[in-house]
Amino acid sequence: MPDIEPGSAAQPRWTKVLDHTRCIGCHACSTACKSENEVPLGVHRTYVKQVDVGVFPHVRRAFQVTRCNQCEQPPCVDACPTAAMHKRPDGIVDFDKSICIGCKACIAACPYDAIFINPDDGNAEKCNFCAHRIDQGLEPACVVVCPTNAILVGDLNDATDPVTRIIHREPVAVRRPEKDTRPKVYYKGAHQATLDPLAARRPEGGLFMWSEQGPVNSSLGGHPQSPNSSAAAILAWDIPHRAPWDARVSLYTWTKSLASGVWLVAAMCLVLGVLASGSTLWRWTVPLLSGVWLAATGGLLIWDLKRPERFWMIFLKPQWKSWLVRGAFIIAGFSAVLGLHLLGSVFDLDALTRVVAWIGIPIAVMTAVYTAFLFAQAKARDLWQSPLLPPLLLVQAVLAGAAGLLPFVSEAEFAVGANVTVATALRWTLAIACAAQLLMTLGEVTLTHSTAHAKLATFEMVKGRYRMFFWAGVILVGFGCFAPIAPVEYGALLGLLAFEHAYVQAGQAVPLA
Amino acid sequence: MNTDTKSKRLRAYPPKDQWDDWRELDSKSWPERVERRFALVPTGCFNCESACGLLAYIDKETGLIRKFEGNPEHPGSRGRNCAKGPASKNQVDDPERILYPMRRVGARGEGRWQRTTWDEALDEIAARIRKAIQEERRQEIMYHVGRPGEDGYTERVLAAWGIDGHNSHTNICSSGARAGYAFWMGYDRPSPDHANAKVIFLVSAHLESGHYFNPHAQRIIEAKQKGAKVIVLDVRLSNTATHADHWLSPYPGSEPAIHLAIARHLIHEKLYDRNYMRTWWNWSEYLASEHPKEANDFETFERILAELYDACTFEWASSESGIDVDTLREVAQIVASAGNRLSTHNWRSASSGVSHGWQVSRTLFFLNALTGSIGVPGGTYPNAWNKFVAAPIHRPPHPDHWNELSWPQEFPLSFHELSFLLPHLVGEERGKIDTYFTRVYNPVWTNPDGFSWIDMLRDEARIGCHIALTPTWSETAYFADFVLPMGLGNERHDVYSYETHDAQWIGFRQPVMRAYAEREGRKVNDTREVNPGEVWEENEFWIELSWRIDPDGQLGIRQWFESKEKPGTKLTGEEYYAWMFENSVPGLPERAASEGLTPLDFMRRYGAFEVAHKVSCVYAETVGVDEVDDIAEDDFGRIYTRAPSRQRRTSCRCPHRPATPTVAGRSVFASVVTSSAVSRRRRASSSFGRRSSRAGVGKRWPSQAIRVRTSIPTTSSLARSRSFRPSVCRCRSTRAAPTPSGSTRSRTRIRFGSIRAMHKGSRICAPGI
């Protein structure tokens, strides 16, 4: 270990300055990092974004060395279900590939799009300040290679450190401070057009300098419409960005709505006296149907993992702040409810199923709603930071539940002591849920968005890349309002799926870096 | 070094004393602490001409190269690299690389190949060359190189074979810029001292491309951080333009107009370095030649100079270039503010591939000549002052033979081989090529008319045998008879030196696996033993091939490839470099001894050596009596001498130019404006003949080269010049015409070299000048 300067704190807190008064955009850091950390092709721990700012002849190319910000409050660490992402005592946000399950929650959480799944091993990784070198007293590889000393590493706990001095004495900036992450990577002399991912215009057709980008499921950098910056700025070079959560996650929200909704609606009917506890519907159809959808939900969740064989680590190495963990336990609790329900049905214990109905309702609600918190934990995605989301998910569960139950309800099945069929009750429930869904969607898309990111996501959902899904969802759910007079339940279910897909994908369609 | 902002808690490189056995935590196993043991072996990057230092990390467990980092001992790159440095690893691991000698099957260019052996290839090629030499068809052997990446080795081989077989790529590359520089000072490359400059004037991008990207970028940014102003002329919005205080994107080809307008500003506002001009310009010669009726004094010269450039106003330059007058004036004022700390650089870009491109660098260097910012700290040096070429163990004489296919006589002013015309010259049946080597050269792709090259390469009547020396396939290798795999930067030996800054250094490229094996006590006799597959290196290949061309020594070739220690046996790369480092690099043996190493071991361990630091104003050095030999004097008192037998380093550290340098009671001068061709012509047409003026080889071995000495008389005394250090580029521009009528051509050359050409030869000057 090298000598530690007298007067410096024993425990360092590592920080970096990216000095863009020196950076020449040569990409040496990018390749040195690749070499040091054996990062495969197509993914990047660090890269240099380039934005052309200005109007000829007063124009320049602005660079941004783009990488993990080593947040003091790292959202990726909160979101990680197994603590594979963790913050070391010296402030470095590091990762442990041996316990990564590849759930991509960290990627969804990172407001800087700095994390990726290594295609070779399926684990999440990112810049970790070359922790293995730091621990040996060596500068990170990018710092060593930089021709112009534009990348500096230092100790924030040491006020005499030259790098700390720059941070304290010179005008420096961090990226997206509004995300409340307290980055320890500081930019000196960087242009606002690079720091703000939405300040530069996206080039026509995704044509970047030397390259054309746009693989499936990628979200290109730059603003496609009206950039944040009133100055002229166009993105010149960027890497392809990928949405971490694909259609499987859209589908999972839908199957989960069905699983929780089917049971929840039936249980509410039971509690409200619309459904008889002795009915075949309650005893068998509901728990089995809900169980099938819940199994599908679990299957999708595991399928979406890049290390599915490590699924069990969610339960055995839980990191309790993670809503993935909390959600997994809620789902497990709901499975237990269904199990008890079936137990009651198998052994003909009517009282048990009645009790289960009462106990299960809050758990079913939690099952339906927890995803709102999971999405909100994806701090990167402003669209999902909506207070409307928990009630929306509840409405969706009711919608899905009513629609999902209807095909299994006999027209002859009458409610207990009422002159109304269960089917009619469900149809009205469906109609009301559809109306509520439409109203909330209307609210979601018409209320003023607090951030440019949320606004752009909404644009992508309503008018942009996902408009087909969105409007299909609106129209089909709209038809769902006519449930009492027409057989629209399948349409409503499909509409809900389309809407979910638009919502989940549009939320991730905003460039973050 | 700009280390003021570096944290003291971390170090960039493993300490040198641990390079034999460096333990480093494995990034892939992280956070598990798995220690790996490495041997750190230096070499030189071969991805551009900068040849920055690399350190190969050889994993002692796997015996494979794990990564390349920078070599902190390299004076040019100082341990830092561009993206291409660490990416060298990709080339080593490239699944497409050629691992075995291949020979074609079927018609040439058909794309069918068969693995062959080195023996078969060597025997067949050697037999061809031997036959050609015996039948006096020497001109039918040609070696065509793109990026040489080394100083002198291969040209020595060609000289040993007695052939004029060197061909370059330069005429589609830097020859335009080279010409402009050479016409000023005889040296055809600039060496801007960016780090100490006050104003940096770049034509084209130098921060992320161009020569010498990484070493220059370091120093440009260093100067900028200290307050230097950066002016960039580039039609592209380059990364360099980003860091420019003024980025000008003129109409292509109009750069000289801007330069001349700045020059006019300096002249008319009397902002030039009057003392410097009076002392070092050949104004007296110019006046005598062009204005014989005027008084031959400096004041007259100043007046005439002002008249000459009077028309080059900002308004005129603005109309030529499209840059507004105010910007031009501001830029001119910045240039004027530099004093003599003005570093300028043009290389390719605007000067390349266009008619009169050479005027770009010529008019650019005019600004240095006016401000006296030549060969001084913060100014621009002639390349050779910041470059060191070590003499090799054997120095064969230059061949007395001329290749019309590379230097056709009807182009006496061609500044380099007319290599892009080769298919046409061959097509006109001016000659055929029996044996054609291409190396780091892909004319089918890089030259403007690739299909002409394909036509030539396909035709076995024109190209008897094409041998591609290359690590990878290329469009040109596709049309070869033999594709012989040569090592990458970490698999071959080379010695090189580049003018990256105000210093002189040599770099040593070496097969790192071989150096590692030897460090571990294993004897390696042939680089193929350690390279992947049967990949070889040119050094050993040429020795082996030369022996097979002349196995009994009858052709007089073998002697140049024999050991000095054990005459009659083959020279080894080991002995070649051991001798060079022991005998030709001043200071190296002492430095090596201080670490208890032989010079060769020192270079194997550190990969580079700084011969001189801060060379400074060589032209003001006094000429030693021992350097004065075979004196000839011209009408203006210029004195020419034979070059000293051994190139010596320059160690002048004078911060100031002496106003009136004197030695032994006489003033000593060199002129920057005088064409070196003057003296070269004299020599060429006198006792030495044209051979000595062929700079390509002559420059490399000073004992055979003619040193050019120029000086101008002063009113008071006979002036004598400091020698111009020979330029070590691959330039042959200064050759004299080969026929008696050549004197006329040489005469033309003088005119180009004189300041008169600045107005008469320039298309960019206003009419009437």
Side-chain angles (χ1 to χ4, degrees):
Chain A
M1 285 291 288
D3 295 334
I4 289 176
E5 286 280 286
S8 67
Q11 175 64 263
R13 195 158 54 107
W14 297 111
T15 184
K16 264 184 193 164
V17 166
L18 301 168
D19 186 347
H20 285 276
T21 65
R22 288 170 175 267
C23 174
I24 55 172
C26 74
H27 303 284
C29 45
S30 314
T31 63
C33 171
K34 286 234 171 197
S35 170
E36 177 68 29
N37 297 298
E38 298 185 71
V39 180
L41 288 176
V43 286
H44 309 260
R45 286 192 185 193
T46 180
Y47 62 96
V48 186
K49 187 175 85 166
Q50 309 193 344
V51 174
D52 290 352
V53 190
V55 177
F56 182 83
H58 301 294
V59 57
R60 62 172 289 196
R61 179 160 296 147
F63 310 117
Q64 175 183 273
V65 176
T66 315
R67 53 175 61 170
C68 169
N69 277 251
Q70 305 295 339
C71 310
E72 279 286 89
Q73 291 173 183
C76 59
V77 169
D78 286 349
C80 178
T82 61
M85 280 291 164
H86 59 277
K87 200 174 106 189
R88 311 198 318 174
D90 62 3
I92 292 176
V93 180
D94 203 356
F95 54 89
D96 182 352
K97 284 192 169 188
S98 67
I99 54 170
C100 175
I101 63 170
C103 68
K104 296 166 285 184
C106 53
I107 304 178
C110 175
Y112 309 101
D113 202 2
I115 313 173
F116 60 89
I117 294 290
N118 184 317
D120 289 350
D121 57 27
N123 299 315
E125 69 174 71
K126 63 177 190 66
C127 163
N128 64 346
F129 265 21
C130 281
H132 63 287
R133 291 176 64 91
I134 294 255
D135 281 5
Q136 247 191 310
L138 290 170
E139 291 172 348
C142 59
V143 177
V144 176
V145 80
C146 180
T148 58
N149 284 340
I151 306 176
L152 306 167
V153 62
D155 175 11
L156 260 183
N157 279 350
D158 177 2
T160 67
D161 188 296
V163 179
T164 305
R165 269 206 312 267
I166 293 176
I167 293 168
H168 289 162
R169 298 261 309 155
E170 299 191 32
V172 290
V174 296
R175 287 163 58 205
R176 307 193 68 196
E178 73 278 8
K179 282 292 167 188
D180 194 25
T181 54
R182 301 173 64 205
K184 288 197 297 296
V185 169
Y186 286 86
Y187 289 82
K188 178 183 163 189
H191 200 287
Q192 184 63 24
T194 61
L195 293 175
D196 179 349
L198 297 184
R201 188 162 54 81
R202 178 182 302 167
E204 295 283 323
L207 277 171
F208 294 97
M209 192 162 55
W210 312 311
S211 60
E212 188 179 335
Q213 293 182 0
V216 179
N217 202 27
S218 75
S219 58
L220 299 175
H223 200 298
Q225 281 278 307
S226 47
N228 273 356
S229 169
S230 57
I234 184 165
L235 191 61
W237 196 85
D238 195 9
I239 61 164
H241 301 275
R242 294 180 183 85
W245 287 340
D246 60 16
R248 280 171 287 192
V249 174
S250 317
L251 194 56
Y252 134 86
T253 59
W254 184 73
T255 58
K256 191 169 62 68
S257 288
L258 272 161
S260 58
V262 161
W263 197 89
L264 180 66
V265 169
M268 289 301 290
C269 286
L270 186 83
V271 168
L272 294 173
V274 178
L275 185 61
S277 65
S279 62
T280 310
L281 188 69
W282 173 249
R283 286 183 65 191
W284 299 108
T285 314
V286 167
L288 286 174
L289 191 57
S290 180
V292 166
W293 286 119
L294 196 64
T297 304
L300 282 168
L301 278 177
I302 295 172
W303 183 28
D304 188 49
L305 299 182
K306 292 295 173 185
R307 297 298 302 264
E309 78 284 6
R310 290 179 175 172
F311 167 70
W312 54 272
M313 286 183 177
I314 293 179
F315 295 102
L316 295 188
K317 294 179 178 295
Q319 190 278 109
W320 286 106
K321 277 189 182 172
S322 159
W323 273 99
L324 215 116
V325 167
R326 292 174 184 179
F329 277 87
I330 288 169
I331 287 177
F334 186 56
S335 308
V337 166
L338 295 184
L340 278 176
H341 187 155
L342 280 171
L343 205 66
S345 301
V346 169
F347 293 102
D348 216 3
L349 304 169
D350 190 56
L352 179 60
T353 64
R354 282 171 172 280
V355 173
V356 164
W358 281 102
I359 301 170
I361 284 171
I363 298 176
V365 169
M366 283 161 70
T367 304
V369 165
Y370 89 85
T371 305
F373 298 89
L374 177 73
F375 275 30
Q377 201 166 44
K379 213 167 182 174
R381 303 302 178 184
D382 286 10
L383 181 68
W384 300 343
Q385 312 292 317
S386 164
L388 273 179
L389 198 49
L392 182 68
L393 285 175
L394 189 60
V395 165
Q396 290 178 352
V398 171
L399 188 160
L405 268 177
L406 268 171
F408 299 92
V409 177
S410 155
E411 287 297 330
E413 189 151 359
F414 275 83
V416 185
N419 195 17
V420 59
T421 62
V422 174
T424 307
L426 289 176
R427 288 199 179 100
W428 278 101
T429 307
L430 175 60
I432 293 166
C434 282
Q437 160 80 12
L438 281 183
L439 279 174
M440 294 177 88
T441 305
L442 187 72
E444 182 75 53
V445 301
T446 56
L447 281 176
T448 305
H449 297 283
S450 55
T451 70
H453 283 250
K455 192 177 163 195
L456 176 56
T458 307
F459 168 83
E460 292 287 17
M461 180 165 71
V462 178
K463 295 178 186 165
R465 288 170 67 184
Y466 299 102
R467 63 182 187 279
M468 296 296 281
F469 291 101
F470 176 79
W471 288 107
V474 167
I475 290 164
L476 290 171
V477 171
F479 285 141
C481 297
F482 301 98
I485 54 169
V488 291
E489 58 269 18
Y490 289 109
L493 275 178
L494 277 178
L496 181 64
L497 179 59
F499 174 82
E500 279 302 300
H501 187 62
Y503 187 80
V504 171
Q505 299 309 318
Q508 302 173 87
V510 181
L512 300 173
Chain B
M1 285 278 279
N2 230 306
T3 52
D4 52 322
T5 50
K6 287 250 183 179
S7 177
K8 312 262 181 311
R9 296 184 65 147
L10 301 170
R11 63 161 56 97
Y13 304 97
K16 283 192 283 180
D17 58 4
Q18 293 176 39
W19 284 13
D20 281 343
D21 189 10
W22 169 246
R23 286 153 197 269
E24 193 167 290
L25 293 170
D26 181 37
S27 65
K28 287 300 269 188
S29 316
W30 192 255
E32 196 189 335
R33 289 170 179 261
V34 177
E35 227 177 41
R36 295 211 172 273
R37 292 174 57 199
F38 295 102
L40 274 48
V41 184
T43 189
C45 183
F46 203 176
N47 287 317
C48 85
E49 186 157 319
S50 303
C52 300
L54 291 178
L55 264 190
Y57 279 61
I58 299 167
D59 189 317
K60 292 192 154 193
E61 195 181 312
T62 64
L64 298 171
I65 297 169
R66 165 64 181 79
K67 62 177 172 180
F68 292 100
E69 287 195 24
N71 176 9
E73 296 298 302
H74 191 289
S77 59
R78 300 186 285 191
R80 305 177 228 160
N81 293 87
C82 77
K84 300 189 287 290
S88 300
K89 176 78 163 52
N90 279 3
Q91 298 165 320
V92 177
D93 301 337
D94 182 1
E96 304 267 298
R97 64 179 294 188
I98 306 161
L99 293 175
Y100 302 97
M102 308 292 277
R103 69 177 305 153
R104 86 173 146 96
V105 182
R108 200 185 278 163
E110 204 180 292
R112 294 196 295 133
W113 303 89
Q114 185 180 63
R115 191 172 150 184
T116 184
T117 64
W118 277 106
D119 272 333
E120 191 180 306
L122 284 162
D123 282 340
E124 203 169 315
I125 298 162
R128 289 190 83 97
I129 295 174
R130 179 180 173 81
K131 190 155 179 275
I133 291 173
Q134 282 175 328
E135 294 172 2
E136 279 304 322
R137 291 183 287 112
R138 286 165 195 261
Q139 73 282 2
E140 291 186 9
I141 304 160
M142 185 177 282
Y143 166 78
H144 209 152
V145 63
R147 172 70 44 232
E150 49 104 357
D151 288 320
Y153 190 101
T154 317
E155 292 190 340
R156 191 189 77 96
V157 171
L158 302 175
W161 293 357
I163 66 164
D164 181 27
H166 183 276
N167 209 338
S168 74
H169 75 288
T170 308
N171 63 350
I172 59 152
C173 183
S174 56
S175 58
R178 288 171 188 267
Y181 285 111
F183 295 157
W184 273 106
M185 55 179 172
Y187 304 98
D188 65 353
R189 294 179 83 134
S191 173
D193 182 17
H194 291 313
N196 300 302
K198 210 168 151 191
V199 175
I200 295 170
F201 196 121
L202 306 170
V203 180
S204 83
H206 292 273
L207 276 182
E208 87 286 19
S209 58
H211 281 17
Y212 291 99
F213 154 37
N214 168 39
H216 276 184
Q218 297 182 13
R219 293 165 173 93
I220 290 170
I221 294 297
E222 209 171 291
K224 200 168 144 56
Q225 295 285 322
K226 289 187 288 188
K229 296 279 184 199
V230 178
I231 297 159
V232 175
L233 268 62
D234 194 347
V235 292
R236 306 167 303 158
L237 173 63
S238 61
N239 294 11
T240 311
T242 286
H243 282 282
D245 294 283
H246 282 283
W247 168 49
L248 313 185
S249 177
Y251 298 142
S254 69
E255 294 84 357
I258 294 174
H259 300 159
L260 289 182
I262 298 171
R264 179 190 181 276
H265 175 76
L266 297 173
I267 294 166
H268 276 250
E269 304 295 320
K270 297 227 183 273
L271 296 168
Y272 50 86
D273 187 334
R274 196 159 183 265
N275 190 42
Y276 175 86
M277 278 166 64
R278 185 210 293 274
T279 314
W280 301 104
W281 282 41
N282 62 343
W283 53 268
S284 179
E285 194 174 9
Y286 164 76
L287 287 178
S289 164
E290 300 299 312
H291 303 276
K293 292 177 183 161
E294 301 270 6
N296 199 305
D297 57 36
F298 188 66
E299 287 69 24
T300 307
F301 175 69
E302 283 180 298
R303 175 175 57 76
I304 290 173
L305 192 66
E307 287 165 14
L308 270 177
Y309 292 99
D310 192 43
C312 301
T313 58
F314 290 128
E315 288 73 19
W316 167 74
S318 175
S319 71
E320 291 283 312
S321 67
I323 308 293
D324 65 274
V325 169
D326 289 343
T327 303
L328 292 176
R329 183 175 289 113
E330 201 176 333
V331 164
Q333 283 162 354
I334 292 172
V335 170
S337 75
N340 54 29
R341 284 167 61 201
L342 171 69
S343 68
T344 66
H345 199 179
N346 167 232
W347 202 244
R348 312 193 192 107
S349 177
S351 62
S352 164
V354 291
S355 176
H356 293 79
W358 56 278
Q359 291 283 25
V360 175
S361 55
R362 187 154 184 254
T363 51
L364 178 65
F365 204 66
F366 188 21
L367 303 180
N368 292 98
L370 284 166
T371 51
S373 52
I374 297 172
V376 290
T380 304
Y381 287 75
N383 66 325
W385 297 2
N386 288 337
K387 177 176 174 109
F388 182 85
V389 180
I393 185 166
H394 296 298
R395 294 172 232 178
H398 192 70
D400 55 354
H401 145 79
W402 192 271
N403 196 334
E404 293 288 335
L405 289 178
S406 48
W407 297 95
Q409 293 196 31
E410 71 261 44
F411 299 103
L413 295 178
S414 73
F415 202 70
H416 279 82
E417 295 98 334
L418 282 171
S419 82
F420 73 95
L421 289 185
L422 187 63
H424 308 281
L425 299 174
V426 173
E428 287 174 6
E429 296 181 354
R430 295 182 182 217
K432 62 167 290 219
I433 301 174
D434 178 83
T435 309
Y436 183 56
F437 294 95
T438 53
R439 177 183 166 254
V440 202
Y441 188 53
N442 186 8
V444 170
W445 184 253
T446 52
N447 279 0
D449 56 343
F451 283 97
S452 306
W453 288 78
I454 292 177
D455 288 345
M456 177 184 77
L457 291 171
R458 273 212 169 115
D459 187 348
E460 290 183 41
R462 296 185 212 174
I463 304 282
C465 180
H466 172 203
I467 302 125
L469 308 173
T470 176
T472 54
W473 289 101
S474 72
E475 291 77 2
T476 300
Y478 194 76
F479 295 97
D481 298 294
F482 286 103
V483 176
L484 302 181
M486 290 300 175
L488 300 160
N490 59 292
E491 296 161 354
R492 52 183 294 115
H493 284 96
D494 289 308
V495 163
Y496 53 84
S497 175
Y498 299 110
E499 62 282 6
T500 54
H501 60 294
D502 184 15
Q504 290 182 333
W505 53 264
I506 57 167
F508 187 37
R509 212 175 264 128
Q510 61 179 340
V512 295
M513 296 309 296
R514 182 170 181 161
Y516 167 61
E518 284 166 2
R519 247 191 234 182
E520 298 286 299
R522 279 176 283 137
K523 178 79 185 145
V524 177
N525 294 311
D526 187 307
T527 298
R528 281 172 294 183
E529 292 170 27
V530 295
N531 274 353
E534 289 179 14
V535 172
W536 209 358
E537 59 168 334
E538 276 103 332
N539 280 194
E540 289 176 351
F541 168 77
W542 292 126
I543 294 172
E544 187 58 43
L545 183 63
S546 300
W547 269 69
R548 294 192 194 209
I549 292 170
D550 186 18
D552 50 11
Q554 294 286 307
L555 297 178
I557 293 173
R558 209 187 81 174
Q559 55 172 320
W560 308 113
F561 303 92
E562 284 182 15
S563 164
K564 249 187 190 170
E565 288 164 9
K566 295 180 201 159
T569 64
K570 235 175 258 174
L571 175 67
T572 62
E574 190 87 1
E575 186 184 344
Y576 178 88
Y577 289 110
W579 188 95
M580 177 184 280
F581 297 147
E582 187 72 50
N583 297 286
S584 306
V585 186
L588 176 54
E590 296 76 10
R591 172 73 196 282
S594 74
E595 297 208 16
L597 297 168
T598 67
L600 179 61
D601 284 343
F602 180 92
M603 292 301 283
R604 287 224 185 279
R605 170 160 290 268
Y606 297 121
F609 176 70
E610 190 171 65
V611 181
H613 182 64
K614 289 207 180 297
V615 171
S616 210
C617 33
V618 171
Y619 60 80
E621 281 182 26
T622 54
V623 178
V625 176
D626 58 327
E627 290 186 57
V628 180
D629 179 22
D630 188 17
I631 291 176
E633 186 183 340
D634 73 3
D635 301 340
F636 286 86
R638 289 176 203 287
I639 293 175
Y640 305 94
T641 80
R642 194 198 299 275
S645 62
R646 186 172 139 187
Q647 187 166 356
R648 81 188 175 81
R649 75 187 177 95
T650 308
S651 57
C652 170
R653 289 163 194 273
C654 58
H656 308 292
R657 278 190 304 276
T660 317
T662 57
V663 58
R666 293 183 299 177
S667 300
V668 179
F669 295 100
S671 165
V672 291
V673 267
T674 306
S675 164
S676 59
V678 176
S679 53
R680 289 200 176 127
R681 177 186 62 81
R682 288 176 60 89
R683 276 305 172 200
S685 58
S686 60
S687 60
F688 288 85
R690 70 184 233 222
R691 175 211 285 180
S692 57
S693 65
R694 292 290 298 271
V697 168
K699 283 173 177 177
R700 284 166 206 272
W701 301 300
S703 66
Q704 291 142 12
I706 294 307
R707 285 300 187 85
V708 180
R709 313 226 158 189
T710 54
S711 65
I712 55 174
T714 62
T715 49
S716 58
S717 64
L718 174 72
R720 200 182 54 147
S721 82
R722 176 70 182 96
S723 78
F724 277 108
R725 206 149 285 272
S727 163
V728 204
C729 61
R730 282 142 297 282
C731 131
R732 297 204 197 180
S733 63
T734 50
R735 75 188 173 106
T739 59
S741 62
S743 57
T744 315
R745 292 181 193 138
S746 296
R747 183 67 195 157
T748 315
R749 202 181 285 276
I750 296 168
R751 288 172 183 273
F752 270 89
S754 74
I755 199 165
R756 198 178 68 171
M758 185 61 72
H759 48 98
K760 288 208 169 161
S762 160
R763 82 188 157 98
I764 44 80
C765 277
I769 297 184

